[in-house]
Amino acid sequence: MKKTLITLLLAVLTLSVSAQQQQRPQFDPAKFDADLEQFITTEAALSPQEAAQFFPLYREMLRQQRVLYMEMRRHRHIDFNDNKACREVIEKQDKIELQMKEIQQQYHNKFFKVLPASKVWKVIRAEESFHRQAFRRVAKPPQFKR
């Protein structure tokens, strides 16, 4: 009787875990980037010519920012009881954030050369909106199909 109950319990747990894993699709960076570009194009009303000029610059900016994001991630695992290490990490993070803003400023100036300022502003707002929506989708608990 105990063996049957344990086997049944394990089977239910296995099915539950596999169902949860099927609910969460794997993150696809290429699809995310394509969806982001499509969203920006639509929200900022970019013409095909504007998009063709803008997105290579935009991707270049993102590549530079990702390098800095990766550097910031390396600082996550420090000993919180070591004040000196914490101070050093805070100072490094501050410098990285300033570098990120400098990169943004440089690329915003490059964007102005290919788009009017009003569309650059719409691009910035669209990017923020897209990321908010993406975070909401990820934070939303999975719905089980019945």
Side-chain angles (χ1 to χ4, degrees):
M1 183 70 176
K2 276 187 174 180
K3 287 183 181 180
T4 306
L5 186 60
I6 291 173
T7 305
L8 182 63
L9 184 62
L10 285 174
V12 169
L13 286 174
T14 303
L15 288 173
S16 174
V17 168
S18 68
Q20 288 177 359
Q21 289 174 347
Q22 291 173 356
Q23 290 294 326
R24 295 241 185 226
Q26 291 290 345
F27 176 72
D28 182 3
K31 183 178 180 339
F32 182 85
D33 289 342
D35 290 346
L36 173 61
E37 288 185 15
Q38 182 59 49
F39 188 83
I40 288 172
T41 302
T42 303
E43 291 295 309
L46 299 180
S47 70
Q49 296 81 12
E50 290 172 329
Q53 290 179 317
F54 169 75
F55 282 112
L57 291 172
Y58 182 75
R59 287 184 213 109
E60 190 178 301
M61 179 184 76
L62 291 181
R63 276 193 298 276
Q64 288 184 17
Q65 288 179 326
R66 281 185 185 127
V67 170
L68 296 175
Y69 282 127
M70 296 306 290
E71 191 174 331
M72 289 175 80
R73 287 186 69 190
R74 281 186 244 138
H75 299 141
R76 286 186 179 173
H77 307 291
I78 64 162
D79 180 9
F80 291 104
N81 296 319
D82 183 353
N83 282 326
K84 183 179 177 186
C86 289
R87 182 183 185 101
E88 288 173 3
V89 165
I90 291 168
E91 290 171 353
K92 287 178 185 176
Q93 296 282 83
D94 287 345
K95 286 179 184 176
I96 292 170
E97 287 178 16
L98 288 172
Q99 287 176 312
M100 299 264 298
K101 277 299 183 189
E102 288 172 1
I103 289 170
Q104 275 184 336
Q105 187 178 31
Q106 289 171 354
Y107 279 90
H108 289 168
N109 288 328
K110 290 180 182 182
F111 297 162
F112 292 145
K113 293 177 182 173
V114 297
L115 295 176
S118 61
K119 287 199 177 185
V120 172
W121 181 243
K122 287 178 183 179
V123 165
I124 292 168
R125 300 290 303 216
E127 180 185 27
E128 291 170 357
S129 178
F130 180 84
H131 285 109
R132 273 195 308 276
Q133 290 176 18
F135 283 126
R136 276 191 224 120
R137 280 192 305 268
V138 170
K140 184 178 174 182
Q143 301 295 320
F144 292 104
K145 295 179 183 176
R146 292 183 185 197

